Amino acid sequence: MRLDEPFNKTAYVLTGVIKWLGLLPRSLSLNCVELGCGIPGKRFVYIGEGESLPYIRRILAQPAGEFRITRAPLWRLGKMIRRLASPDTLLCIELDRLLNSMAPRGGLITFPWIRQRVILDSLECRAHRRGIQRDFGRKVRKYKYRFQLVNHTESVARFYAEFYVPHIRARFGDAAHMRSLNELQRWVGSGFLLQVLHEDSWISGAACGVRKDELSVLAAGHIPEDKYPLRLGALSAAYYYLFEYARRHSMTVVDLLRSRPHTDDGVYRHKRRWGAEPEVDYWPHTALHLFLPEGFPLPSAFEKLLIWNGLEFVEIGELLQRKRIPRGQMPPAKPGA
């Protein structure tokens, strides 16, 4: 089920819930997968529709072909959990968010994707301004970049074909989640396409929507590496100019959209450098519930996974410290409850 993300906030929430409903059948037949977690004598077991399985495998650095998948209907979930639960098993259950009540109590909750927004007058954003000028502003001045704003359909189509799609595929390969051209056209219709120029050549850019006092960055792209190296900072220059635009036009928020819920994720780190803070996103249709048995050592791959505590996202390692529980231990989860 493919739905383009609406720019209107109300439509975004409603369409997100429609998406949860439309993809609900995917959770009716569950995958059960046992993976290594890098700790001798311990195992990681995933039960779910499969949406986040490739991502989890990447976090655990699990090679392809080294796991076995069995399938079971949703109505056998409780039985599967009771059979698999043990002091040596870290259990992850991924279900459609409409089925969250079917997950056992006592788990730690996260999502496949989170949203990152910058509040321009926040302390977090102000704390990053000096670093932005030092690192990104310096390259803008060094290479004498400049920018222009356009919104005609021909430029958006060229940006999509020559900048956005090649850049995303080169960076993420088979794991890429691509926007549609129609989606970009609709957002730019309410905003603009920012083009970064170097000696009159178009090097990078970003497709944006504008709503009242909020600027949203839907997609960013760069010409192929062999034509102009990424290390010269033209892609960062696009973000630099977007923030300058937002401030000049008295905007209060720059929405950088999604990243993975892991503070070691490259996209997450890049957006944090601009002062973006993580928020719950309505668009992903699943939630992940983690159950760490008492005394289970926390796998190093999960130490910086972001967990939603009901108020904010917190690294799982930090959450353990806040609860004053020895590293790698959590109160006993009761997955059979």
Side-chain angles (χ1 to χ4, degrees), residues 119 121-129 272 274-277:
I119 311 300
D121 64 351
S122 68
L123 292 176
E124 184 70 25
C125 181
R126 293 177 195 170
H128 286 79
R129 284 186 186 174
R272 282 289 291 161
W274 298 94
E277 299 186 69

Side-chain angles (χ1 to χ4, degrees), residues 26 29-31 46-55 94 286:
R26 292 176 51 172
S29 180
L30 303 175
N31 301 291
Y46 168 92
I47 301 174
E49 64 159 61
E51 170 72 16
S52 298
L53 183 57
Y55 171 61
E94 181 177 30
T286 63

Side-chain angles (χ1 to χ4, degrees), residues 3-6 12 15-16 19-20 258 281-285:
L3 288 174
D4 287 344
E5 183 177 350
Y12 151 75
T15 307
K19 181 183 175 187
W20 302 0
R258 290 179 190 93
D281 190 0
Y282 280 94
W283 200 247
H285 73 285

